[in-house]
Amino acid sequence: MTPSVRILLCDDHAVVRAGLLALLGGEPDIDVVGEAGSGEEAVALAAQLTPDVVLMDLQLGSGIDGVEATRRIATAGAGAVNVLVLTTYDTDADITRAIEAGATGYLLKAERPEELFAAIRAAAQGRTTLSPPVASRVMARMRSPRPTLTERELDILGQLSQGLGNRDIARALFISEATVKTHLGRIYEKLDVDTRAGAVSVAKEQRLLP
Amino acid sequence: MTPSVRILLCDDHAVVRAGLLALLGGEPDIDVVGEAGSGEEAVALAAQLTPDVVLMDLQLGSGIDGVEATRRIATAGAGAVNVLVLTTYDTDADITRAIEAGATGYLLKAERPEELFAAIRAAAQGRTTLSPPVASRVMARMRSPRPTLTERELDILGQLSQGLGNRDIARALFISEATVKTHLGRIYEKLDVDTRAGAVSVAKEQRLLP
DNA sequence: GGCCCCGTCAGCCGATCGGTTGATGCGGAG
DNA sequence: CTCCGCATCAACCGATCGGCTGACGGGGCC
């Protein structure tokens, strides 16, 4: 018979971890070998325990976030550790970042538990599983590539969401006001808004900022 | 011996519900008698099953939100149904709204599972339990009452976060631009910002808008 | 080498915003 | 009845924003 799949849980909510632990306890071929409540802990435990799959939440209260933890785990040494993202959000930004960071799969917590079990078994063999809504978004993005904000534009957007004026943004980033305005114009285009307030609103909703 | 506590789960994430179900299954004196994936479903099942406690998440993807569901359940008929909020967020706005809506307790998912069990048993008897961080916030708010936005100010803030200019906000709410500016000034004061972008940022972070 | 994206900068101008002062009416609390 | 919070409106003014046009250099790609 096939050996059990060894799992490391990473979620900052103790109740959720306990729930997953109890849930996965019902599957004989799935063994939870560790729990992490932060990204740092997950990276350390992944290196130490070398589980088959890390079940990773993206938003982890403090410290490094799930994307960064995923990146470190996925790119570490042997690379035999597969990261399966299990999270609430299905925004383009999150999905894109997680995949770029090397996630093996991306599941939503809204998924049925059976799908989770199946995805875990698939991930253990390096096979990818995406929740239907996630897959849809990925396909949609392939078909009509939506404009992505550049690094610099995200910098401006970050300052903008602090409520700073153009002059202060310019000073904070060591550029001229004219440049700030140029970037803002492009940001408005890409986010399909025409005011700073609208840009901040979209940025927060799409979780474009950390 | 004391009879079992009858529980109704309400969370829009199937995996989380299954996790809680498995977790609570380990407690002999706690019986999960129903599951709801939406606020509407929770209200209907609460009326039909009359559980001792409803475990309610606040953010429910679509339909009515957890606060509204809590209000309807708490104010329905006999009122013997206690709502225990179990959620991720500990912002003042969420806590305040939930308590006003009639929640019996407010727990964070970051809490230890044992605390959850204890809180459920307490809630079954109508006793209140608050997570430590939540209790702290409540106390802090009592000591230094932070300014609360009025209904009207929230209206303006809502329009503002759509990126509308003062003129458009005025038209949308059937008031004059002068009034919009007056409200905005007070909103800036209360949120401790001085630009519209900053106000939107704070509003999103504090979850002041639905 | 040419092309295009990115980041940088400039100047202009009308529209809008933010701050201020002051005023009215209405409703509830004391 | 009076006080106060809330919502409403007015007029003013300097500062800022948004949109525009145009420009330059660097880096990657073919």
Side-chain angles (χ1 to χ4, degrees), chain A residues 12-16 18-20 22-24 86-89 108-113 116 160-165 194-202 204-205, chain B residues 12-16 18-20 22-24 86-89 108-113 116 160-165 194-202 204-205:
Chain A
D12 60 331
H13 299 123
V15 167
V16 176
L20 286 172
L23 179 62
L24 297 177
L86 176 68
T87 190
T88 306
Y89 301 101
L108 298 179
K109 287 184 177 174
E111 203 54 79
R112 289 164 42 235
L116 172 62
L160 180 57
S161 77
Q162 309 292 320
L164 298 187
D194 54 1
T195 64
R196 7 186 90 215
V200 171
S201 184
V202 172
K204 296 282 184 183
E205 261 153 34
Chain B
D12 59 333
H13 300 123
V15 167
V16 176
L20 286 172
L23 179 61
L24 297 176
L86 177 66
T87 190
T88 306
Y89 300 100
L108 299 179
K109 286 183 178 175
E111 203 55 78
R112 290 162 43 233
L116 171 62
L160 180 57
S161 76
Q162 309 292 319
L164 299 187
D194 54 2
T195 64
R196 6 186 90 214
V200 171
S201 185
V202 171
K204 296 282 183 181
E205 262 154 34

Side-chain angles (χ1 to χ4, degrees), chain B residues 23-47:
Chain B
L23 179 61
L24 297 176
E27 301 298 299
D29 61 333
I30 297 180
D31 278 353
V32 176
V33 297
E35 286 185 46
S38 72
E40 288 82 354
E41 207 181 333
V43 173
L45 284 178

Side-chain angles (χ1 to χ4, degrees), chain A residues 90-92 95-96 99 130-148:
Chain A
D90 66 342
T91 62
D92 279 355
I95 296 170
T96 303
I99 293 177
L130 300 180
S131 275
V134 174
S136 295
R137 282 184 176 276
V138 172
M139 299 300 286
R141 143 104 36 151
M142 304 281 286
R143 275 194 286 272
S144 68
R146 297 188 41 197
T148 307

